[in-house]
Amino acid sequence: MSEGASYVPVRYGVAESVSGWAFEELSRRIVVGQLAPGEKITEEALVRDLGVSRTPLREAIKQLEELGLIVRQRNRTLRVAPLQSEELIELVRLREHVEGLVAAEAARKVAAGEIGTDALRAIIRAIEDAETGSEGLAQIDRIFDLGTQFHAKLVTLAAMPRVARIHAGLQLALARYRLVNARDKRRLNHRSAEHRGILEAVESGDPGAAEAAMRLHIREGLRAYTSNPDDGFDRADRVLTRD
């Protein structure tokens, strides 16, 4: 993972409780690699480290198990879930369906005059500025974060609460896979064009075109992951590793 790769928190829940805070903090540590894939974790150590009691900690762990970020083995040992190519492909396929639905609904709302797209256009302009800015980890992080903002804003505009909750869980599960590949620059200068294509399809008011544009964008992302010779895949056991 790029040392400069950032983490944009995905609000799966609202951290208005101790368990919510513990969930978000453990999520952050897993995504950025502070808790490494396959690493053994114990309630005792987390209670001491986080400064929380067992009850809210167990609630947070249960949420992370449901999202597949923590696994409980047969002997009850807890470990951070490994990064596996099969899981990545499954998550991306799920994201393709969910965000395709989001794009289609946003296009329908545009056609009905229910929403505007100024905020999406502003994000694309920011991506274009980042693409022509200074190179390096800061540029990668900036473009990565703006892309995340674009998709999150589209979900907000679609105004589908249940879909939004599902999307938040997918985003969290996918975040650590994205950061593994943060060093891949092959699509770096094409992000604005890809997102502009989605926006234009949404603005056309054609739900089918918007869904197709979104699905294509997400499939291109998966192709970049699986074709990158320096992506961290262990080709023998199909498990991802980090630098």
Side-chain angles (χ1 to χ4, degrees):
M1 182 180 72
S2 168
E3 292 179 2
S6 60
Y7 167 58
V8 178
V10 178
R11 299 285 177 172
Y12 181 75
V14 179
E16 295 179 348
S17 64
V18 175
S19 62
W21 176 85
F23 170 82
E24 291 191 359
E25 176 59 18
L26 289 174
S27 300
R28 183 192 67 79
R29 294 185 185 192
I30 291 171
V31 167
V32 303
Q34 191 173 342
L35 290 173
E39 181 177 341
K40 179 180 178 181
I41 56 178
T42 65
E43 289 185 4
E44 293 80 4
L46 291 176
V47 164
R48 291 194 304 270
D49 191 22
L50 298 178
V52 299
S53 62
R54 286 182 180 271
T55 297
L57 176 63
R58 285 172 177 169
E59 292 175 3
I61 289 173
K62 181 180 178 181
Q63 273 191 290
L64 291 166
E65 285 186 84
E66 291 172 352
L67 287 172
L69 294 180
I70 288 178
V71 294
R72 190 180 300 269
Q73 299 179 316
R74 292 180 181 177
N75 61 1
R76 309 298 291 173
T77 298
L78 294 171
R79 292 187 182 276
V80 176
L83 296 175
Q84 298 180 313
S85 60
E86 290 83 359
E87 181 188 45
L88 170 62
I89 292 169
E90 180 182 358
L91 288 170
V92 172
R93 285 176 175 169
L94 283 171
R95 183 190 173 206
E96 185 181 332
H97 285 285
V98 171
E99 292 206 31
L101 175 62
V102 164
E105 179 61 14
R108 188 194 68 77
K109 289 184 182 300
V110 166
E114 297 175 12
I115 62 172
T117 58
D118 289 348
L120 294 173
R121 285 196 167 276
I123 294 172
I124 290 175
R125 286 195 295 271
I127 295 175
E128 290 171 339
D129 290 342
E131 287 174 348
T132 58
S134 59
E135 296 184 358
L137 295 178
Q139 181 195 35
I140 294 173
D141 286 349
R142 178 65 174 159
I143 293 174
F144 177 88
D145 291 347
L146 287 167
T148 299
Q149 290 175 33
F150 178 91
H151 290 271
K153 186 62 180 178
L154 196 56
V155 170
T156 299
L157 290 173
M160 305 168 77
R162 289 183 181 274
V163 172
R165 287 195 291 272
I166 294 170
H167 181 259
L170 282 173
Q171 290 290 86
L172 180 54
L174 277 165
R176 60 191 189 141
Y177 286 98
R178 287 178 179 149
L179 295 182
V180 165
N181 232 27
R183 62 193 168 205
D184 184 7
K185 298 182 180 180
R186 289 176 300 166
R187 294 174 69 226
L188 194 62
N189 293 324
H190 303 287
R191 295 293 176 91
S192 62
E194 291 184 18
H195 288 95
R196 186 172 292 282
I198 295 168
L199 176 59
E200 290 174 352
V202 168
E203 289 180 331
S204 74
D206 183 340
E211 180 175 357
M214 179 62 79
R215 283 175 172 267
L216 177 60
H217 168 64
I218 292 172
R219 283 197 297 270
E220 286 298 317
L222 179 60
R223 186 175 294 111
Y225 279 114
T226 56
S227 65
N228 182 7
D230 193 30
D231 62 4
F233 275 97
D234 184 323
R235 302 297 174 181
D237 58 11
R238 304 292 291 169
V239 174
L240 282 161
T241 58
R242 294 189 188 225
D243 289 345

